[in-house]
Amino acid sequence: METLLRREGFHQYVIFQISHSNMDDFVLNMLARYQGEGLLPIELQCRDGGIQIGYEISGGASLSQTFLEKEMDKELIKALFESLWQCCGELREYLLPVEGLLLRPEQVYYFPGKKQFHFCYLPENSESFSQAVLTLVEFCMQKIKQGDSESLLFVHGFYRLIREEASEEEIKNYLTAFFSSPEAVLPCHTKEELEEKEEPVKPHENSTFLWWVCGGLAVLCLMLSVIFAVRFFAVTHSDRDMKICVILGAVMLIFLYSMKSSRPKRMIGKVSLNIPDKQEDSIIREVNEDSQPMIELEYLPETDIEDLGETRVLNGPAEKSGSWVLEGLRTDIPDIWLLRLPGIIGRKSSEVDYPLPDKGVSRRHLLIFLSGEELYAEDLSSTNGTFLNGERLKAETPVRLSQEDRIAIGHLEYRVSHR
């Protein structure tokens, strides 16, 4: 397939040169009759035994050109996918298969004067429609305006629907909900649901401060009891010194018991870190209760990494270099390899990319995403909040993460690392 640009006066066209032998006359007839708004204005010509399909692009520019250094806001995201869905409906009315749509960023055109998106159609296009949509969504993920969590969550949800091969009805309902009310596709839970499902973090739980206080007091009691014991045997032989020594020993045992009680409980079982793939591959880490933590990595089922722009999809046991990691600060907390960005961390595995089975974690707790080469975190209005270096993050406000930053999600504490 040959692609050309042609200018005639003030008019500019993109031309696709194809062979007549590969064309279906019915498809050509339907394209010639097309009167919809989704496709660019069409011009069909027969030259030198071949067919030229021309689309007028005067006043417009491709997505890759328009948003080379510009970000896409919520209104542009909405207009793009609304135009795409409308165009698919028009093609079906003309009995044209949607696989012919060209959805690569350099083949989708935006007209800033009208704030409209239009598409090209090529009957012999060999790329599958779902893969073409994924390419378009990947581009949008990289160009979403910083801090626009609403658009990011919408695009991420749409991306997952396509990858999971959702039915046309499910995709239609998802898009319709966003077009009518963007908030409809975002997580929304009542106060009663949150109180029922999430366990608030109590001040004394999982507190290393309480553990150190009890430990210090226990050591102090031990030292005093040793002093009074030496005094009893070496100097006074007084019953009073012996009683004080016994009392201090009992108090020391109480503090030791408090240290044991305040120690954070281990998470026993499996923690599955979902990585989007057709079969929802996962990394499974196991912790042994009676011995040192044992970590077992299970990869299913293939062995390559598909690199899609800033999004890296893990399909097998491949090299993880260059990845961001949330390292657990205790041996019983598995590391979270952020191999899929943007990604959501939370307790409900069906709604997030990185599930954490901890009662202090909200169902959709934290959004992690890249902007250029920088890593950002955004608290999704979680009940117990997210703490960065001891300070609680403001909800729905992205914050840049740096190496060695410490981030607390519910009861779990991590260190940010880039490997």
Side-chain angles (χ1 to χ4, degrees), residues 42 167 185 304 395:
I42 304 173
S167 67
V185 301
D304 62 323

Side-chain angles (χ1 to χ4, degrees), residues 288-302:
N288 189 310
E289 182 178 9
D290 301 323
S291 62
Q292 293 294 326
M294 296 170 54
I295 298 179
E296 175 184 327
L297 299 184
E298 179 181 331
Y299 299 89
L300 301 173
E302 301 178 20

Side-chain angles (χ1 to χ4, degrees), residues 116-184:
Q116 294 178 348
F117 293 87
H118 295 283
F119 306 90
C120 298
Y121 189 91
L122 188 64
E124 64 176 14
N125 183 34
S126 59
E127 187 176 24
S128 69
F129 181 69
S130 59
Q131 184 58 49
V133 174
L134 285 178
T135 301
L136 181 61
V137 173
E138 285 283 347
F139 176 83
C140 293
M141 282 182 175
Q142 301 175 28
K143 298 300 180 179
I144 288 178
K145 187 175 182 180
Q146 182 177 332
D148 189 357
S149 59
E150 189 174 288
S151 297
L152 186 61
L153 288 174
F154 161 73
V155 174
H156 176 67
F158 187 66
Y159 180 87
R160 293 189 65 180
L161 282 176
I162 299 298
R163 284 199 66 89
E164 293 168 3
E165 299 182 347
S167 67
E168 182 179 336
E169 187 66 25
E170 290 176 323
I171 296 175
K172 178 181 178 181
N173 293 338
Y174 186 82
L175 293 176
T176 302
F178 182 72
F179 298 152
S180 59
S181 175
E183 292 77 10

Side-chain angles (χ1 to χ4, degrees), residues 177-281:
F178 182 72
F179 298 152
S180 59
S181 175
E183 292 77 10
V185 301
L186 301 180
C188 181
H189 308 302
T190 63
K191 182 179 179 181
E192 291 75 13
E193 286 178 319
L194 291 173
E195 290 177 348
E196 177 184 357
K197 297 294 183 179
E198 299 169 20
E199 176 183 303
V201 178
K202 299 178 181 179
H204 65 277
E205 290 182 349
N206 195 33
S207 173
T208 55
F209 175 75
L210 179 60
W211 189 88
W212 281 105
V213 168
C214 292
L217 293 175
V219 171
L220 179 61
C221 290
L222 176 62
M223 293 173 61
L224 292 175
S225 63
V226 170
I227 291 174
F228 279 98
V230 171
R231 177 178 172 178
F232 171 78
F233 287 108
V235 182
T236 64
H237 301 288
S238 169
D239 292 340
R240 175 186 169 190
D241 290 342
M242 179 56 68
K243 290 179 181 178
I244 293 176
C245 185
V246 171
I247 292 173
L248 288 172
V251 173
M252 180 187 67
L253 292 176
I254 293 174
F255 283 127
L256 290 175
Y257 179 79
S258 299
M259 286 179 64
K260 181 180 178 181
S261 301
S262 64
R263 184 178 61 183
K265 296 181 179 179
R266 290 177 177 268
M267 293 191 300
I268 307 302
K270 294 183 178 180
V271 178
S272 176
L273 306 183
N274 289 347
I275 299 169
D277 198 0
K278 292 182 180 179
Q279 300 182 3
E280 295 187 354
D281 304 344

Side-chain angles (χ1 to χ4, degrees), residues 4 11 32 41 46 55 69 80-81 85 144 164 176 186 193 225-226 281 286 292 295 303 317 375:
L4 304 171
H11 298 277
C46 294
Y55 294 94
E69 297 181 355
L80 173 60
F81 286 97
W85 188 249
I144 288 178
E164 293 168 3
T176 302
L186 301 180
E193 286 178 319
S225 63
V226 170
D281 304 344
E286 294 189 9
Q292 293 294 326
I295 298 179
T303 59
L375 185 69

Side-chain angles (χ1 to χ4, degrees), residues 76 86 136 211 214 221 232 234 284 368 374 391 411 414:
L76 288 174
Q86 178 183 348
L136 181 61
W211 189 88
C214 292
C221 290
F232 171 78
I284 300 177
I368 303 286
E374 304 293 341
E391 296 186 6
H411 298 140
Y414 298 90

